[in-house]
Amino acid sequence: MAVWIQAQQLQGDALHQMQSLYGQHFPIEVRHYLSQWIESQLWDAIDLENPQEEIKAKRLLDSLIQELQKKAEHQVGEDGFLLKIKLGHYASQLKSAYDRCPLELVRCIKHILYTEQRLVREATNSSSPVGGLMDSMSQKYHQINQVFEELRILTQDTENDLRKLQHNQEYFIIQYQESLRIQAQLSSLATLPPADRQLREPSLLSKRATVEAWLTREANTLQKYRLGLAEKHQKTLSLLRKQQTVILDDELIQWKRRQQLAGNGGPPEGGLDILQSWCEKLAETIWQNRQQIRRAEHLRQQLPIPGPIEELLTELNSTITDIISALVTSTFIIENQPPQVLKTQTKFAATVRLLVGGKLNVHMNPPQVKATIISEQQAKALLKNENTRNDSSGEILNNNCVMEYHQTTGTLSAHFRNMSLKRIRRSDRRGAESVTEEKFTILFESQFSVGGNELVFQVKTLSLPVVVIVHGSQDNNATATVLWDNAFAEPGRVPFIVPDKVLWPQLCEALNMKYKAEVQSNRGLSEENLVFLAQKAFSNSGINPEDYRNMTMTWSQFNRESLPGRNFTFWQWFDGVMELTKKHLKPHWNDGAILGFVNKQQAQDMLMSKPNGTFLLRFSDSEIGGITIAWVAENPNKAGERMVWNLMPYTTKDFSIRSLADRISDLNHLLFLFPDRPKDEVFSKYYTPPLSKAVDGYVKPQIKQVVPEFATPNPDPAANPTYMDHAASPAVNHQPNYSLYPPIGDPMLDADGDFDLDDTMDVARHVEELLRRPMEGQWSGQQS
């Protein structure tokens, strides 16, 4: 069902929120009459931070105006005449408003559609026939909104009490003035003759006594009113504190945690619109109560009455200032983090946002935000409020930015688009720590005032830890540091402490999250894959997942100490697998064609029970970012004996010459992908199409892979001279004729039956190099 149809069925506060989305910037009538067109456009395809997208946005603006004009032209009749004029006016209004800034129109409509969808979704959940079985998220939101309603009622109640107190105090002052007038009249009686004085004095004395008795009584009543109002404000502020704790210490912290996990490939942290709406409600309620407390203080100063109210009001004023300070400083956040692996002399971006900036009118005098890079020790000192003397650990270019207010979305943010780290100053490293383990952070800071300079705030926020590199070769180890920090950092930690060891299942969760994100696949690491990784990480042969459930892995095991017998760490091996899969093997991994995480012995055990020509793909144990083909075939040196062969691993370098699918196609002795799938059924859709026919008399050569031991020489030029024919079926016991080969060890094979592919690939690379040379240079003096 169209969103607009559902949005029209909203009720109560949800309907009010929906209506508040519209105004002169985008009339609700335009939404109504163009609902189908609006919802069918690809608004999300436009990147609002990319100025080059303005052309697309302008196209959408022009289309919107054309649709409006078309709708206006089709209106007939008396009612249609008025609507025609109105829609025409809106078309001119929108063109005037957004012609110079069409991206703002896109921002506005995206915000409207997102909010409508959220309101409809929340309303659908709350009205579900399941009743009380609302999901925990909806229930939490419902509780938060209930508290806001309670705060609204309390604030309205104290507003009414304050008005009543003000009215009573004004009447008290009038009566007090009356008592002063009576006293003045009594004083003037002394100048009158005795007879006149005796005539008028009794009534004046009676009046004075009556007024003074009323004033005494009313002063006590006013004092009770003031104390009652102060107690109500105490109750409101207590509830405000609790609500602010839920929103800032629970919801906002959870959002920041999701943002951190998103750096490891976790799901997106989600938008800030709901959080901003809550923070704005907090700001509005806090400010209303602050103004009430200030008015109560003004009334007390206007009419001082001895009692405890002065101390109470001072305490309330201090409490409300603390609350609003906590809100403002906590809602200065980093919406888009800078890259956590930061290379010097490379452009990077970040976005900082003040969630309550619009509500507190901070944009009326737009503040400037400054970005500085600081070390871990400087970050610790900053959080302890120690004087850091404006120290920094490097120089960032383009590190100042003015916060901009987007009226359509109500957001106040600073977009740093062209920052660059010019230089970095490193600290002394501890023990075995390398430069790729040293953590820095980007400090964003600003200053602004609210309420006509009543309150001045200095706000600061730290980015997630960043690792600074100067060369791409450091990226691998830097990513390991970031992965470990993002996965295992605890909320509220001292910068940037993380546990030195974690349980294996925790690390598995982080590795799986990272793998799926890097490879961009829904197929993550299976339990069997994780057991293989545990065997590699702990040099253990156990095959039961429970064997590793309570084992811990240290940071040193993860990325400091090399694996036994290797010159690389566990992480470096795993990262190599991810890179290779991401660049060259993604479709095959998604198809389930790559078992991958299988060692040589496991591959042998799996293949020996299968027919000849069955093969599988596994990641190399001995080489970073390598994948090998293992297959079962006859042993040419011993008739009737079968063995498993392993091709020397392919790497990115090899796949840049010829793809995995084409290489498998080249090898005719590979027949069935484990366990029993014909290889063409799995890989044919990825084969490179046959070369086109000769053009202008030239025939384009083709590079193909050959494994000499399994090639079938054939003198017939009409036949393929390099490949064996496919067997008819794995069930047929077809014995290849190996009499062509001498029964001696081939120098291209190792003792385990592994091929050294380098020799064969050297030929392929040489051919490729020849093909890249200018034709005249290769065939000088010859004419084809």
Side-chain angles (χ1 to χ4, degrees):
M1 186 186 295
V3 176
W4 182 242
I5 295 173
Q6 294 174 297
Q8 292 176 78
Q9 298 168 9
L10 294 172
Q11 296 179 354
D13 185 53
L15 178 61
H16 177 72
Q17 287 185 55
M18 188 270 284
Q19 290 171 336
S20 67
L21 295 170
Y22 298 97
Q24 286 190 343
H25 61 278
F26 198 82
I28 196 168
E29 292 88 345
V30 176
R31 176 71 176 98
H32 180 75
Y33 287 105
L34 297 186
S35 60
Q36 192 173 351
W37 183 89
I38 288 172
E39 291 177 34
S40 66
Q41 304 307 304
L42 300 176
W43 304 103
D44 286 332
I46 295 181
D47 180 6
L48 296 173
E49 306 309 323
N50 184 357
Q52 294 180 348
E53 297 278 75
E54 195 167 290
I55 298 171
K56 293 182 187 175
K58 183 68 166 64
R59 224 176 278 137
L60 280 171
L61 171 62
D62 293 340
S63 298
L64 174 69
I65 291 168
Q66 286 174 11
E67 290 293 322
L68 263 179
Q69 291 170 340
K70 196 187 301 178
K71 197 77 177 175
E73 289 170 4
H74 285 83
Q75 303 306 314
V76 294
E78 186 176 337
D79 294 337
F81 175 72
L82 294 174
L83 184 58
K84 182 176 183 176
I85 293 174
K86 194 178 252 188
L87 293 178
H89 170 70
Y90 290 148
S92 302
Q93 182 178 311
L94 290 173
K95 183 171 178 61
S96 173
Y98 297 111
D99 202 40
R100 293 185 179 180
C101 52
L103 284 172
E104 285 304 308
L105 172 73
V106 177
R107 190 189 302 276
C108 168
I109 294 179
K110 282 174 77 169
H111 174 67
I112 286 171
L113 292 175
Y114 172 82
T115 308
E116 284 180 352
Q117 288 166 356
R118 175 178 61 80
L119 291 171
V120 167
R121 189 166 58 249
E122 289 174 0
T124 303
N125 288 340
S126 63
S127 61
S128 169
V130 182
L133 298 177
M134 292 160 60
D135 59 59
S136 59
M137 187 72 76
S138 298
Q139 197 167 0
K140 189 185 293 182
Y141 288 3
H142 181 66
Q143 290 170 351
I144 289 173
N145 289 331
Q146 273 188 324
V147 173
F148 272 126
E149 180 60 19
E150 189 177 346
L151 283 168
R152 187 190 66 78
I153 293 170
L154 286 172
T155 303
Q156 187 59 52
D157 186 36
T158 49
E159 178 65 29
N160 294 336
D161 285 358
L162 187 61
R163 288 175 182 171
K164 185 177 179 181
L165 173 63
Q166 184 175 352
H167 175 76
N168 289 349
Q169 183 167 312
E170 287 171 353
Y171 188 69
F172 180 92
I173 291 171
I174 291 171
Q175 293 303 312
Y176 180 73
Q177 293 295 331
E178 177 65 15
S179 75
L180 292 177
R181 190 179 65 80
I182 292 171
Q183 184 59 43
Q185 287 178 342
L186 282 170
S187 299
S188 67
L189 289 179
T191 60
L192 296 177
D196 290 342
R197 187 168 64 243
Q198 288 176 0
L199 183 65
R200 298 178 60 182
E201 191 174 39
S203 65
L204 287 174
L205 289 172
S206 174
K207 275 185 180 182
R208 186 178 70 177
T210 301
V211 170
E212 286 181 348
W214 184 89
L215 287 173
T216 303
R217 214 169 41 249
E218 191 62 20
N220 290 329
T221 302
L222 285 175
Q223 188 72 310
K224 286 179 183 178
Y225 276 166
R226 289 176 176 179
L227 289 172
L229 180 61
E231 287 170 0
K232 284 185 175 181
H233 273 130
Q234 283 179 324
K235 181 182 176 182
T236 302
L237 298 195
S238 175
L239 188 59
L240 259 175
R241 270 194 189 279
K242 288 179 182 177
Q243 180 80 325
Q244 184 157 296
T245 299
V246 168
I247 292 170
L248 299 184
D249 295 353
D250 293 346
E251 297 300 317
L252 186 55
I253 293 297
Q254 286 177 25
W255 181 88
K256 288 181 177 180
R257 179 60 183 150
R258 291 196 299 273
Q259 185 185 53
Q260 190 171 29
L261 289 176
N264 275 3
E269 61 270 31
L272 285 165
D273 289 351
I274 294 176
L275 272 169
Q276 174 160 318
S277 69
W278 288 341
C279 292
E280 287 179 338
K281 283 182 181 177
L282 279 173
E284 186 175 13
T285 307
I286 292 168
W287 199 257
Q288 286 173 349
N289 279 273
R290 184 175 186 273
Q291 295 302 95
Q292 288 179 10
I293 292 167
R294 287 169 66 84
R295 281 159 58 198
E297 172 65 22
H298 177 70
L299 290 175
R300 187 201 65 78
Q301 292 173 352
Q302 193 179 44
L303 182 62
I305 301 175
I309 190 65
E310 184 175 356
E311 289 182 11
L312 271 175
L313 287 173
T314 302
E315 181 185 333
L316 285 172
N317 198 46
S318 174
T319 301
I320 198 79
T321 302
D322 288 345
I323 292 174
I324 197 168
S325 296
L327 177 65
V328 172
T329 54
S330 299
T331 55
F332 182 65
I333 63 172
I334 302 171
E335 183 176 10
N336 295 317
Q337 291 280 342
Q340 287 187 264
V341 176
L342 192 57
K343 189 178 178 185
T344 55
Q345 310 293 338
T346 304
K347 190 172 79 169
F348 68 96
T351 303
V352 180
R353 181 164 162 182
L354 181 63
L355 297 180
V356 295
K359 185 60 68 174
L360 296 179
N361 291 324
V362 175
H363 59 281
M364 300 304 287
N365 185 18
Q368 188 173 76
V369 183
K370 180 182 179 182
T372 313
I373 189 164
I374 62 174
S375 69
E376 185 174 333
Q377 291 302 320
Q378 289 167 336
K380 288 176 184 175
L382 185 73
L383 293 188
K384 290 179 184 176
N385 290 321
E386 295 177 3
N387 184 14
T388 58
R389 304 185 307 280
N390 295 320
D391 285 347
S392 72
S393 290
E395 181 183 352
I396 298 178
L397 303 179
N398 304 316
N399 66 329
N400 287 288
C401 184
V402 175
M403 299 195 89
E404 298 175 357
Y405 181 66
H406 304 282
Q407 189 171 4
T408 52
T409 57
T411 59
L412 182 70
S413 54
H415 300 281
F416 292 84
R417 294 183 175 89
N418 296 296
M419 286 192 289
S420 176
L421 182 59
K422 185 177 180 181
R423 63 173 65 93
I424 190 69
R425 187 172 68 252
R426 299 191 182 275
S427 58
D428 295 332
R429 292 186 291 282
R430 304 179 293 270
E433 186 182 80
S434 68
V435 292
T436 54
E437 294 178 46
E438 186 178 5
K439 300 173 191 173
F440 297 88
T441 180
I442 309 293
L443 166 66
F444 294 93
E445 51 190 338
S446 184
Q447 178 175 311
F448 50 82
S449 62
V450 298
N453 292 326
E454 286 181 32
L455 297 172
V456 178
F457 295 103
Q458 287 185 328
V459 292
K460 300 178 181 182
T461 188
L462 296 174
S463 75
L464 293 173
V466 300
V467 178
V468 177
I469 64 174
V470 296
H471 192 274
S473 61
Q474 298 172 308
D475 185 83
N476 175 291
N477 292 323
T479 302
T481 302
V482 168
L483 176 86
W484 191 278
D485 192 280
N486 285 345
F488 309 122
E490 296 176 358
R493 64 172 172 172
V494 175
F496 289 107
I497 294 175
V498 284
D500 184 59
K501 61 182 179 180
V502 296
L503 286 170
W504 173 249
Q506 291 178 288
L507 184 59
C508 286
E509 187 179 344
L511 292 175
N512 188 39
M513 182 184 291
K514 184 70 172 176
Y515 188 86
K516 288 169 70 175
E518 286 294 313
V519 179
Q520 297 176 339
S521 171
N522 291 325
R523 182 193 168 199
L525 301 174
S526 66
E527 193 165 82
E528 291 79 9
N529 298 156
L530 295 172
V531 167
F532 169 86
L533 291 174
Q535 292 171 338
K536 180 175 284 290
F538 298 113
S539 301
N540 194 313
S541 59
I543 59 172
N544 189 343
E546 293 301 321
D547 295 344
Y548 306 101
R549 194 75 64 194
N550 297 315
M551 293 184 73
T552 57
M553 190 167 193
T554 64
W555 166 252
S556 292
Q557 287 173 297
F558 183 68
N559 197 42
R560 269 190 191 161
E561 301 166 1
S562 294
L563 292 169
R566 307 296 182 198
N567 62 352
F568 47 79
T569 65
F570 171 81
W571 163 256
Q572 288 166 350
W573 180 88
F574 182 79
D575 186 60
V577 165
M578 284 195 301
E579 280 296 303
L580 181 72
T581 308
K582 176 173 69 174
K583 290 179 179 177
H584 301 288
L585 308 177
K586 183 162 62 176
H588 308 305
W589 173 263
N590 289 337
D591 290 346
I594 298 175
L595 288 179
F597 299 97
V598 177
N599 64 38
K600 186 180 286 187
Q601 185 58 51
Q602 288 171 323
Q604 181 163 328
D605 295 342
M606 294 164 72
L607 289 170
M608 285 302 289
S609 63
K610 298 297 177 183
N612 287 349
T614 304
F615 68 99
L616 59 77
L617 297 157
R618 67 178 187 85
F619 297 123
S620 170
D621 284 316
S622 59
E623 187 163 353
I624 293 178
I627 189 168
T628 185
I629 301 175
W631 75 95
V632 62
E634 298 295 327
N635 185 345
N637 300 323
K638 286 189 181 180
E641 182 180 290
R642 301 191 327 143
M643 64 180 290
V644 172
W645 305 79
N646 293 279
L647 207 58
M648 287 294 284
Y650 299 121
T651 63
T652 291
K653 182 171 62 175
D654 301 310
F655 291 136
S656 66
I657 298 170
R658 190 155 176 79
S659 71
L660 175 65
D662 286 339
R663 290 173 183 275
I664 289 173
S665 173
D666 292 343
L667 302 177
N668 285 0
H669 60 276
L670 302 182
L671 306 177
F672 295 91
L673 179 68
F674 183 89
D676 56 8
R677 298 172 66 190
K679 73 172 183 183
D680 287 344
E681 178 186 297
V682 181
F683 295 101
S684 61
K685 58 185 172 183
Y686 303 112
Y687 294 163
T688 301
L691 294 174
S692 58
K693 295 180 180 179
V695 179
D696 296 332
Y698 288 97
V699 179
K700 188 174 182 182
Q702 186 176 21
I703 298 173
K704 286 202 174 186
Q705 175 178 257
V706 178
V707 176
E709 192 74 16
F710 285 82
T712 307
N714 191 328
D716 181 2
N720 186 336
T722 50
Y723 305 107
M724 296 170 60
D725 292 334
H726 282 224
S729 163
V732 177
N733 186 17
H734 176 72
Q735 296 290 339
N737 181 5
Y738 288 106
S739 60
L740 292 166
Y741 301 97
I744 59 173
D746 193 307
M748 294 179 68
L749 297 175
D750 67 15
D752 295 325
D754 285 346
F755 286 101
D756 187 346
L757 190 61
D758 286 346
D759 290 340
T760 58
M761 291 315 300
D762 281 344
V763 177
R765 293 187 187 108
H766 181 65
V767 172
E768 184 189 35
E769 185 181 342
L770 288 172
L771 293 176
R772 287 176 178 165
R773 293 177 184 172
M775 193 62 72
E776 294 80 2
Q778 292 184 43
W779 308 105
S780 57
Q782 297 185 24
Q783 182 67 40
S784 297

